[in-house]
Amino acid sequence: MTISLPEPINLPILAEAQPTRVGVKSPEDIVVVSALRTALTKSRKGGFKDVLADELLFHVLKAIISKTGIDPALVQDITVGNVCAKGGLATPSRMAALAAGFPETTSVSTLHRQCSSGLQACVQIATSIQCGLIEIGIGAGVESMSSDYFDRKIILSKKLMTNPTAADCELPMGLTSENVAETFGITRKEQDLFSYESHKKAYMAQEAGYYDEEMIPCTVTTYDKGEGGHAKTITVDKDEGIRPGTTLEGLAKLKPAFKPTTGTTTAGNASQISDGAAAVLLMKRKTAQRLNLPILGKYLTSSVVGVPPKLMGVGPAYAIPVAVQRAGITLDEVDIFEINEAFASQAIYTYKVLGIPKEKVNPKGGAIAIGHPLGCTGARQIATLFPELKRQQKRIGITSMCIGSGMGMAAVWEREE
């Protein structure tokens, strides 16, 4: 079956390329000085099951200071992406920044754009720097799904639910995955193979130490189950969701999670519920040079688009072309695509419809293998991308994801050479 974009959507008008250009260094470039993350752990039973989001955020913010040696007083603003915590994690994020060593003069805000929250936080900081509002900032993302995901209650207006498209925003994400698979003929076999390969790539990357540069060890307190809840101190330094023993035969035996008789989305070909945090330090090139700080690469541009809520997963297929055109390049010039594996169905759809070579997609595995802490993922992808561009001696990368309620986001990055 030929996979094509659904008819009802009109692509947004494309902006012209920004002054920041690929292959051209300017003092005004927005550069990434550091991008770090925690390990991603299994929700409710992993190493971070007893660690709240503010503590996870504390660890990555503190690591940014220690790894770069930057004077924390120079960081003017921190924006944190988060999805599940009450109050938008606003006060706990401010507390985490202060505890990590940032002074009272460093402001903190939080935002919620579903699964792109971490990326949106980084783009918001980059945009503030471009506009001259701040000189140095941090975009971050964090999620303790163990603590905050399972008890959420959202009350919606019954009046709005009478609008069919608005009502589609409330579809369970798993059903939107089923809609993508059914609409575009993506088979269960394809989804299971994609999942198998995600675990295989992630395990190989973990064993080879490819995650080491982006990951920080976190020493935390956890509690044994049972009477007394004995406390113990552990160090978490590896992603826990990777299953080296994954087989196609084993995946094929899993029952559909959302449509018991006709479904193709299972626990094995969907992203894992996880805990984790990531942070990205951004500033202008001239600032990094003045402070004698290393430059990993630069931010080029980004895009956010809307798509039908019932086909939520197709978002990257729309966002990526917009971002690429804004960057003044073609899809063929992109070396690595970090496309969030919310579900195998939507990740497969994206690379197929855009004609992206499979080997360019998530070379170290993705969320199916390592996990998807909702607010963290967008920042985590940046931390994952730059070391892999360096390892492969490649230059251009994209981070992208679908967004609940029917959107997609993408950003274009260039490694420093």
Side-chain angles (χ1 to χ4, degrees):
M1 180 177 180
T2 301
I3 293 183
S4 59
L5 294 172
E7 291 296 332
I9 313 175
N10 292 316
L11 285 173
I13 297 172
L14 304 183
E16 294 187 4
Q18 295 180 347
T20 299
R21 291 184 294 164
V22 170
V24 178
K25 293 182 180 180
S26 164
E28 302 301 312
D29 289 338
I30 308 303
V31 300
V32 175
V33 166
S34 182
L36 301 170
R37 71 174 180 97
T38 68
L40 306 188
T41 66
K42 296 178 180 179
S43 178
R44 284 188 159 180
K45 55 185 177 181
F48 293 148
K49 67 181 178 65
D50 300 309
V51 182
L52 298 178
D54 52 1
E55 185 179 345
L56 291 173
L57 180 61
F58 159 83
H59 282 290
V60 289
L61 292 180
K62 190 172 181 65
I64 287 285
I65 297 172
S66 61
K67 291 278 187 179
T68 64
I70 191 170
D71 178 355
L74 296 177
V75 177
Q76 294 155 288
D77 198 14
I78 299 171
T79 298
V80 181
N82 180 265
V83 175
C84 299
K86 293 179 180 178
L89 201 73
T91 298
S93 293
R94 170 70 165 159
M95 295 169 66
L98 293 169
F102 292 94
E104 296 173 352
T105 52
T106 301
S107 57
V108 178
S109 68
T110 63
L111 59 80
H112 180 347
R113 197 196 277 272
Q114 306 277 25
C115 297
S116 70
S117 297
L119 178 56
Q120 185 65 57
C122 295
V123 170
Q124 184 164 306
I125 288 295
T127 303
S128 293
I129 298 170
Q130 282 177 324
C131 293
L133 300 178
I134 62 172
E135 190 172 9
I136 300 173
I138 292 174
V142 64
E143 207 72 67
S144 172
M145 297 183 81
S146 291
S147 302
D148 302 322
Y149 178 71
F150 296 94
D151 297 324
R152 294 184 301 163
K153 291 183 180 180
I154 301 174
I155 301 173
L156 300 169
S157 167
K158 292 181 180 179
K159 290 182 179 179
L160 296 185
M161 294 297 285
T162 61
N163 179 293
T165 305
D168 283 345
C169 291
E170 266 296 282
L171 282 174
M173 294 298 98
L175 287 182
T176 68
S177 171
E178 295 288 10
N179 290 343
V180 170
E182 291 172 15
T183 302
F184 304 110
I186 299 168
T187 67
R188 167 72 182 269
K189 186 175 181 180
E190 285 180 287
Q191 294 173 62
D192 286 348
L193 176 60
F194 184 89
S195 303
Y196 165 76
E197 291 173 344
S198 182
H199 281 283
K200 183 178 178 180
K201 290 185 290 185
Y203 178 67
M204 291 176 64
Q206 190 176 66
E207 289 297 293
Y210 295 163
Y211 290 125
D212 293 352
E213 187 175 340
E214 68 196 68
M215 193 178 299
I216 60 164
C218 298
T219 300
V220 299
T221 301
T222 189
Y223 298 89
D224 293 334
K225 291 182 178 179
E227 190 174 348
H230 178 68
K232 61 180 179 181
T233 299
I234 62 171
T235 297
V236 181
D237 58 4
K238 289 186 182 298
D239 296 321
E240 296 177 349
I242 302 169
R243 297 190 292 269
T246 298
T247 64
L248 288 171
E249 294 76 16
L251 290 170
K253 292 177 182 178
L254 297 175
K255 295 180 179 180
F258 300 95
K259 288 189 173 182
T261 55
T262 62
T264 58
T265 298
T266 72
N269 59 37
S271 58
Q272 299 183 39
I273 298 173
S274 312
D275 304 326
V280 180
L281 178 61
L282 298 129
M283 61 190 70
K284 285 190 176 181
R285 180 182 298 279
K286 62 186 179 183
T287 306
Q289 290 172 337
R290 174 167 54 83
L291 297 174
N292 197 30
L293 291 169
I295 296 174
L296 301 182
K298 69 180 179 181
Y299 164 76
L300 286 162
T301 189
S302 63
S303 67
V304 185
V305 303
V307 299
K310 65 182 179 182
L311 295 172
M312 175 275 307
V314 304
Y318 286 93
I320 290 172
V322 176
V324 163
Q325 184 160 337
R326 286 177 179 170
I329 59 175
T330 64
L331 277 170
D332 292 341
E333 293 178 85
V334 180
D335 298 302
I336 294 175
F337 295 80
E338 284 290 331
I339 300 173
N340 187 40
E341 300 169 359
F343 300 95
S345 62
Q346 55 83 208
I348 293 169
Y349 172 82
T350 298
Y351 79 73
K352 277 193 169 186
V353 77
L354 296 181
I356 300 169
K358 196 174 180 181
E359 61 271 16
K360 288 187 175 185
V361 178
N362 302 344
K364 293 192 287 192
I368 287 172
I370 65 175
H372 176 27
L374 305 178
C376 165
T377 292
R380 190 280 300 169
Q381 288 179 317
I382 300 166
T384 298
L385 174 66
F386 278 111
E388 185 62 13
L389 286 170
K390 177 182 175 182
R391 185 184 74 83
Q392 292 189 25
Q393 289 299 294
K394 301 292 187 181
R395 191 174 58 165
I396 307 299
I398 280 180
T399 57
S400 183
M401 66 286 294
C402 56
I403 305 171
S405 76
M407 292 176 281
M409 187 169 187
V412 187
W413 311 85
E414 181 181 7
R415 181 181 72 88
E416 190 79 355
E417 293 182 319

PDB file of all heavy atoms in Angstrom, residues 2 27 31 60 70 87 136 143 153 171 175 203-204 213 244 255 261 270 277 354 373 392 408:
ATOM      1  N   THR A   2       0.521   2.226  -0.819  1.00  0.00           N
ATOM      2  CA  THR A   2       1.279   3.482  -0.862  1.00  0.00           C
ATOM      3  C   THR A   2       0.920   4.351   0.330  1.00  0.00           C
ATOM      4  O   THR A   2      -0.246   4.609   0.590  1.00  0.00           O
ATOM      5  CB  THR A   2       0.981   4.254  -2.149  1.00  0.00           C
ATOM      6  OG1 THR A   2       1.337   3.425  -3.268  1.00  0.00           O
ATOM      7  CG2 THR A   2       1.784   5.542  -2.209  1.00  0.00           C
ATOM      8  N   PRO A  27      29.116  34.841  14.949  1.00  0.00           N
ATOM      9  CA  PRO A  27      29.129  35.139  16.392  1.00  0.00           C
ATOM     10  C   PRO A  27      27.727  35.111  16.994  1.00  0.00           C
ATOM     11  O   PRO A  27      27.573  34.911  18.203  1.00  0.00           O
ATOM     12  CB  PRO A  27      29.732  36.546  16.459  1.00  0.00           C
ATOM     13  CG  PRO A  27      30.488  36.707  15.193  1.00  0.00           C
ATOM     14  CD  PRO A  27      29.735  35.928  14.169  1.00  0.00           C
ATOM     15  N   VAL A  31      24.334  28.433  20.193  1.00  0.00           N
ATOM     16  CA  VAL A  31      25.086  27.184  20.279  1.00  0.00           C
ATOM     17  C   VAL A  31      24.740  26.405  21.537  1.00  0.00           C
ATOM     18  O   VAL A  31      24.306  26.962  22.553  1.00  0.00           O
ATOM     19  CB  VAL A  31      26.613  27.440  20.221  1.00  0.00           C
ATOM     20  CG1 VAL A  31      26.981  28.125  18.912  1.00  0.00           C
ATOM     21  CG2 VAL A  31      27.088  28.243  21.423  1.00  0.00           C
ATOM     22  N   VAL A  60      20.414  16.980  36.907  1.00  0.00           N
ATOM     23  CA  VAL A  60      20.929  17.421  35.603  1.00  0.00           C
ATOM     24  C   VAL A  60      21.365  18.880  35.632  1.00  0.00           C
ATOM     25  O   VAL A  60      22.341  19.258  34.968  1.00  0.00           O
ATOM     26  CB  VAL A  60      19.929  17.177  34.454  1.00  0.00           C
ATOM     27  CG1 VAL A  60      19.808  15.700  34.156  1.00  0.00           C
ATOM     28  CG2 VAL A  60      18.576  17.795  34.718  1.00  0.00           C
ATOM     29  N   ILE A  70      30.766  26.522  34.322  1.00  0.00           N
ATOM     30  CA  ILE A  70      30.195  27.843  34.153  1.00  0.00           C
ATOM     31  C   ILE A  70      29.803  28.445  35.499  1.00  0.00           C
ATOM     32  O   ILE A  70      29.385  27.733  36.421  1.00  0.00           O
ATOM     33  CB  ILE A  70      28.957  27.802  33.215  1.00  0.00           C
ATOM     34  CG1 ILE A  70      28.524  29.220  32.826  1.00  0.00           C
ATOM     35  CG2 ILE A  70      27.798  27.025  33.852  1.00  0.00           C
ATOM     36  CD1 ILE A  70      27.474  29.276  31.737  1.00  0.00           C
ATOM     37  N   GLY A  87       0.453  21.637  39.174  1.00  0.00           N
ATOM     38  CA  GLY A  87       0.985  22.995  39.182  1.00  0.00           C
ATOM     39  C   GLY A  87       2.054  23.245  38.152  1.00  0.00           C
ATOM     40  O   GLY A  87       2.795  24.228  38.230  1.00  0.00           O
ATOM     41  N   ILE A 136      22.348  33.902  28.279  1.00  0.00           N
ATOM     42  CA  ILE A 136      22.628  32.489  28.544  1.00  0.00           C
ATOM     43  C   ILE A 136      21.401  31.873  29.216  1.00  0.00           C
ATOM     44  O   ILE A 136      20.804  32.480  30.114  1.00  0.00           O
ATOM     45  CB  ILE A 136      23.853  32.321  29.471  1.00  0.00           C
ATOM     46  CG1 ILE A 136      25.096  32.940  28.839  1.00  0.00           C
ATOM     47  CG2 ILE A 136      24.099  30.845  29.788  1.00  0.00           C
ATOM     48  CD1 ILE A 136      26.316  32.963  29.759  1.00  0.00           C
ATOM     49  N   GLU A 143      10.466  14.281  33.899  1.00  0.00           N
ATOM     50  CA  GLU A 143       9.220  13.591  34.198  1.00  0.00           C
ATOM     51  C   GLU A 143       9.467  12.463  35.186  1.00  0.00           C
ATOM     52  O   GLU A 143      10.332  11.615  34.961  1.00  0.00           O
ATOM     53  CB  GLU A 143       8.608  12.999  32.926  1.00  0.00           C
ATOM     54  CG  GLU A 143       7.112  12.846  32.984  1.00  0.00           C
ATOM     55  CD  GLU A 143       6.391  14.188  32.894  1.00  0.00           C
ATOM     56  OE1 GLU A 143       6.440  14.842  31.839  1.00  0.00           O
ATOM     57  OE2 GLU A 143       5.790  14.574  33.920  1.00  0.00           O
ATOM     58  N   LYS A 153      -6.188  13.524  36.817  1.00  0.00           N
ATOM     59  CA  LYS A 153      -7.603  13.599  36.485  1.00  0.00           C
ATOM     60  C   LYS A 153      -7.862  14.912  35.756  1.00  0.00           C
ATOM     61  O   LYS A 153      -7.582  15.979  36.281  1.00  0.00           O
ATOM     62  CB  LYS A 153      -8.460  13.522  37.757  1.00  0.00           C
ATOM     63  CG  LYS A 153      -8.434  12.151  38.435  1.00  0.00           C
ATOM     64  CD  LYS A 153      -9.361  12.132  39.639  1.00  0.00           C
ATOM     65  CE  LYS A 153      -9.334  10.761  40.314  1.00  0.00           C
ATOM     66  NZ  LYS A 153     -10.232  10.720  41.499  1.00  0.00           N
ATOM     67  N   LEU A 171      -8.941  11.058  22.645  1.00  0.00           N
ATOM     68  CA  LEU A 171      -8.693   9.659  22.307  1.00  0.00           C
ATOM     69  C   LEU A 171      -7.427   9.165  23.008  1.00  0.00           C
ATOM     70  O   LEU A 171      -6.405   9.861  23.012  1.00  0.00           O
ATOM     71  CB  LEU A 171      -8.509   9.496  20.796  1.00  0.00           C
ATOM     72  CG  LEU A 171      -9.758   9.501  19.915  1.00  0.00           C
ATOM     73  CD1 LEU A 171      -9.341   9.482  18.446  1.00  0.00           C
ATOM     74  CD2 LEU A 171     -10.639   8.303  20.232  1.00  0.00           C
ATOM     75  N   LEU A 175      -5.017   4.375  20.802  1.00  0.00           N
ATOM     76  CA  LEU A 175      -6.010   4.301  19.729  1.00  0.00           C
ATOM     77  C   LEU A 175      -5.600   5.151  18.537  1.00  0.00           C
ATOM     78  O   LEU A 175      -5.877   4.807  17.387  1.00  0.00           O
ATOM     79  CB  LEU A 175      -7.389   4.730  20.235  1.00  0.00           C
ATOM     80  CG  LEU A 175      -8.102   3.736  21.146  1.00  0.00           C
ATOM     81  CD1 LEU A 175      -9.479   4.265  21.533  1.00  0.00           C
ATOM     82  CD2 LEU A 175      -8.235   2.362  20.473  1.00  0.00           C
ATOM     83  N   TYR A 203      20.747  -1.721  22.800  1.00  0.00           N
ATOM     84  CA  TYR A 203      21.631  -2.619  23.557  1.00  0.00           C
ATOM     85  C   TYR A 203      23.064  -2.528  23.043  1.00  0.00           C
ATOM     86  O   TYR A 203      24.021  -2.440  23.830  1.00  0.00           O
ATOM     87  CB  TYR A 203      21.130  -4.058  23.456  1.00  0.00           C
ATOM     88  CG  TYR A 203      22.031  -5.047  24.168  1.00  0.00           C
ATOM     89  CD1 TYR A 203      22.165  -5.017  25.556  1.00  0.00           C
ATOM     90  CD2 TYR A 203      22.763  -5.981  23.444  1.00  0.00           C
ATOM     91  CE1 TYR A 203      23.008  -5.908  26.218  1.00  0.00           C
ATOM     92  CE2 TYR A 203      23.599  -6.891  24.093  1.00  0.00           C
ATOM     93  CZ  TYR A 203      23.727  -6.840  25.471  1.00  0.00           C
ATOM     94  OH  TYR A 203      24.559  -7.714  26.117  1.00  0.00           O
ATOM     95  N   MET A 204      23.226  -2.515  21.731  1.00  0.00           N
ATOM     96  CA  MET A 204      24.569  -2.401  21.152  1.00  0.00           C
ATOM     97  C   MET A 204      25.214  -1.074  21.550  1.00  0.00           C
ATOM     98  O   MET A 204      26.403  -1.020  21.870  1.00  0.00           O
ATOM     99  CB  MET A 204      24.495  -2.540  19.636  1.00  0.00           C
ATOM    100  CG  MET A 204      24.119  -3.934  19.161  1.00  0.00           C
ATOM    101  SD  MET A 204      23.929  -4.040  17.352  1.00  0.00           S
ATOM    102  CE  MET A 204      25.592  -3.674  16.815  1.00  0.00           C
ATOM    103  N   GLU A 213      28.722   9.611  27.075  1.00  0.00           N
ATOM    104  CA  GLU A 213      29.004  11.043  26.992  1.00  0.00           C
ATOM    105  C   GLU A 213      27.795  11.895  27.365  1.00  0.00           C
ATOM    106  O   GLU A 213      27.931  12.988  27.914  1.00  0.00           O
ATOM    107  CB  GLU A 213      29.476  11.405  25.575  1.00  0.00           C
ATOM    108  CG  GLU A 213      29.959  12.832  25.428  1.00  0.00           C
ATOM    109  CD  GLU A 213      30.520  13.125  24.049  1.00  0.00           C
ATOM    110  OE1 GLU A 213      30.881  12.169  23.332  1.00  0.00           O
ATOM    111  OE2 GLU A 213      30.605  14.307  23.685  1.00  0.00           O
ATOM    112  N   PRO A 244      17.795  -6.873  25.893  1.00  0.00           N
ATOM    113  CA  PRO A 244      18.641  -7.543  24.897  1.00  0.00           C
ATOM    114  C   PRO A 244      18.071  -8.874  24.434  1.00  0.00           C
ATOM    115  O   PRO A 244      18.418  -9.364  23.356  1.00  0.00           O
ATOM    116  CB  PRO A 244      19.977  -7.733  25.631  1.00  0.00           C
ATOM    117  CG  PRO A 244      19.643  -7.648  27.084  1.00  0.00           C
ATOM    118  CD  PRO A 244      18.507  -6.690  27.177  1.00  0.00           C
ATOM    119  N   LYS A 255      -0.359  -9.533  23.268  1.00  0.00           N
ATOM    120  CA  LYS A 255      -1.723  -9.204  22.872  1.00  0.00           C
ATOM    121  C   LYS A 255      -1.857  -7.707  22.593  1.00  0.00           C
ATOM    122  O   LYS A 255      -1.207  -6.886  23.232  1.00  0.00           O
ATOM    123  CB  LYS A 255      -2.695  -9.609  23.979  1.00  0.00           C
ATOM    124  CG  LYS A 255      -2.757 -11.114  24.220  1.00  0.00           C
ATOM    125  CD  LYS A 255      -3.745 -11.437  25.326  1.00  0.00           C
ATOM    126  CE  LYS A 255      -3.817 -12.943  25.556  1.00  0.00           C
ATOM    127  NZ  LYS A 255      -4.775 -13.279  26.644  1.00  0.00           N
ATOM    128  N   THR A 261      -9.189  -7.470  19.517  1.00  0.00           N
ATOM    129  CA  THR A 261      -9.342  -8.438  18.432  1.00  0.00           C
ATOM    130  C   THR A 261      -8.653  -8.019  17.143  1.00  0.00           C
ATOM    131  O   THR A 261      -8.093  -8.851  16.427  1.00  0.00           O
ATOM    132  CB  THR A 261     -10.835  -8.685  18.136  1.00  0.00           C
ATOM    133  OG1 THR A 261     -11.474  -7.432  17.864  1.00  0.00           O
ATOM    134  CG2 THR A 261     -11.515  -9.350  19.329  1.00  0.00           C
ATOM    135  N   ALA A 270       5.308  -0.156  21.579  1.00  0.00           N
ATOM    136  CA  ALA A 270       4.996   1.203  22.023  1.00  0.00           C
ATOM    137  C   ALA A 270       6.069   1.660  22.998  1.00  0.00           C
ATOM    138  O   ALA A 270       6.821   0.853  23.546  1.00  0.00           O
ATOM    139  CB  ALA A 270       3.621   1.245  22.688  1.00  0.00           C
ATOM    140  N   ALA A 277      15.371  12.873  33.323  1.00  0.00           N
ATOM    141  CA  ALA A 277      15.516  14.321  33.145  1.00  0.00           C
ATOM    142  C   ALA A 277      16.680  14.599  32.203  1.00  0.00           C
ATOM    143  O   ALA A 277      17.594  13.786  32.050  1.00  0.00           O
ATOM    144  CB  ALA A 277      15.751  15.006  34.484  1.00  0.00           C
ATOM    145  N   LEU A 354       8.282  10.217   4.292  1.00  0.00           N
ATOM    146  CA  LEU A 354       9.289  11.215   3.947  1.00  0.00           C
ATOM    147  C   LEU A 354      10.457  10.632   3.153  1.00  0.00           C
ATOM    148  O   LEU A 354      11.341  11.368   2.715  1.00  0.00           O
ATOM    149  CB  LEU A 354       9.820  11.894   5.212  1.00  0.00           C
ATOM    150  CG  LEU A 354       8.804  12.714   6.006  1.00  0.00           C
ATOM    151  CD1 LEU A 354       9.468  13.357   7.217  1.00  0.00           C
ATOM    152  CD2 LEU A 354       8.147  13.790   5.135  1.00  0.00           C
ATOM    153  N   PRO A 373       9.980   9.378  29.093  1.00  0.00           N
ATOM    154  CA  PRO A 373       9.465  10.242  30.162  1.00  0.00           C
ATOM    155  C   PRO A 373       8.949  11.522  29.504  1.00  0.00           C
ATOM    156  O   PRO A 373       9.737  12.318  29.002  1.00  0.00           O
ATOM    157  CB  PRO A 373      10.695  10.526  31.035  1.00  0.00           C
ATOM    158  CG  PRO A 373      11.804   9.672  30.488  1.00  0.00           C
ATOM    159  CD  PRO A 373      11.438   9.360  29.077  1.00  0.00           C
ATOM    160  N   GLN A 392      29.802   9.442  14.418  1.00  0.00           N
ATOM    161  CA  GLN A 392      29.700   9.109  13.001  1.00  0.00           C
ATOM    162  C   GLN A 392      30.421  10.114  12.106  1.00  0.00           C
ATOM    163  O   GLN A 392      30.470   9.925  10.887  1.00  0.00           O
ATOM    164  CB  GLN A 392      28.233   9.040  12.579  1.00  0.00           C
ATOM    165  CG  GLN A 392      27.440   7.898  13.171  1.00  0.00           C
ATOM    166  CD  GLN A 392      26.059   7.767  12.523  1.00  0.00           C
ATOM    167  OE1 GLN A 392      25.839   8.184  11.390  1.00  0.00           O
ATOM    168  NE2 GLN A 392      25.123   7.167  13.234  1.00  0.00           N
ATOM    169  N   GLY A 408       2.829  18.124  15.848  1.00  0.00           N
ATOM    170  CA  GLY A 408       4.170  17.589  15.672  1.00  0.00           C
ATOM    171  C   GLY A 408       5.173  18.708  15.822  1.00  0.00           C
ATOM    172  O   GLY A 408       4.875  19.873  15.527  1.00  0.00           O
TER     173      GLY A 408
END
